[in-house]
Amino acid sequence: MPRWKPGAVDRLQTAALELFDEQGFERTTVAEIVQRAGLTQRTFFNHFADKREVLFGLSSELQREIIGEIAAADAALPPLEVVMRALGAVADKLLEHRRAVVAHRYAVIAANPELLERELGKNAALTDAIAAALTERGGDADTAYLAASVAMLAEQVAFRAWTRPGETRSLRDLLQDALHAVRTTVDAAGRPLSA
């Protein structure tokens, strides 16, 4: 086996996702993943702490990029717009070209309650990090948390649509659609009920 081959992370993720589909997450071993990828266990552990991190390894990078976009945003923008712009920019940069792999990853996670719980925990941690970044920009803590929560809700709706088979719109476009739906829902909720 050659000492170095390009694209190790992508190859490990692809091999892992294939195996998770074929035999389930629990029954798949790191040894099987590296064999399928044509790499070594040492290479695997250079990139991932364990097989779960094959699915969640991108989370830290996403969070860093989102927080960086928030920090660099125009100070005059309202908090929700800052977060939505950050999510759109990071979607374009890190996710759009990986759509098939990300959709496959999402399907594996959705089928496994333990992984789904971890995904929800990662989303909650990202919401907190976004709120903290907004507060550091000088915003009110409650407003920051509300903006972060609304943005993450819109992101989850957009992400579900983006990962559906046959969906061709970009995640950025779906984020805007989801935010519009949130605003429409909130506006409708504020009206008095008809008699």
Side-chain angles (χ1 to χ4, degrees):
M1 185 179 307
R3 299 183 105 215
W4 182 83
K5 291 182 180 180
V9 170
D10 288 340
R11 289 172 50 214
L12 288 165
Q13 288 175 326
T14 299
L17 289 169
E18 289 171 358
L19 288 164
F20 295 160
D21 275 349
E22 293 168 15
Q23 58 196 36
F25 174 79
E26 292 299 328
R27 290 188 303 275
T28 300
T29 66
V30 170
E32 291 168 324
I33 294 169
V34 298
Q35 181 180 11
R36 173 83 52 105
L39 297 165
T40 65
Q41 286 198 19
R42 182 176 181 167
T43 300
F44 180 93
F45 289 113
N46 282 339
H47 296 288
F48 304 108
D50 57 36
K51 69 180 181 180
R52 287 178 305 181
E53 285 306 306
V54 172
L55 298 168
F56 296 101
L58 185 59
S59 298
S60 297
E61 185 179 1
L62 285 169
Q63 182 169 319
R64 273 193 310 277
E65 291 289 333
I66 291 166
I67 300 309
E69 290 285 337
I70 290 169
D74 182 344
L77 293 174
L80 184 56
E81 187 172 345
V82 168
V83 180
M84 294 304 293
R85 284 184 180 199
L87 292 174
V90 173
D92 289 347
K93 181 177 181 180
L94 296 180
L95 298 177
E96 205 62 50
H97 68 282
R98 297 176 174 161
R99 186 179 201 146
V101 171
V102 173
H104 195 171
R105 170 201 171 273
Y106 182 73
V108 168
I109 290 171
N112 185 307
E114 175 191 338
L115 296 175
L116 189 54
E117 184 177 337
R118 184 171 177 151
E119 175 85 342
L120 294 172
K122 293 268 188 185
N123 285 343
L126 179 55
T127 301
D128 290 343
I130 289 170
L134 290 171
T135 303
E136 286 177 22
R137 288 169 46 90
D140 169 72
D142 290 337
T143 302
Y145 186 75
L146 183 59
S149 297
V150 169
M152 287 300 294
L153 178 62
E155 189 274 338
Q156 289 170 26
V157 169
F159 193 80
R160 279 185 180 197
W162 186 68
T163 57
R164 283 189 200 120
E167 179 58 67
T168 59
R169 293 173 290 172
S170 72
L171 184 52
R172 179 186 285 273
D173 289 343
L174 290 164
L175 282 165
Q176 290 307 310
D177 290 350
L179 181 59
H180 177 74
V182 168
R183 286 184 168 141
T184 301
T185 302
V186 170
D187 286 347
R191 293 187 194 127
L193 295 174
S194 300

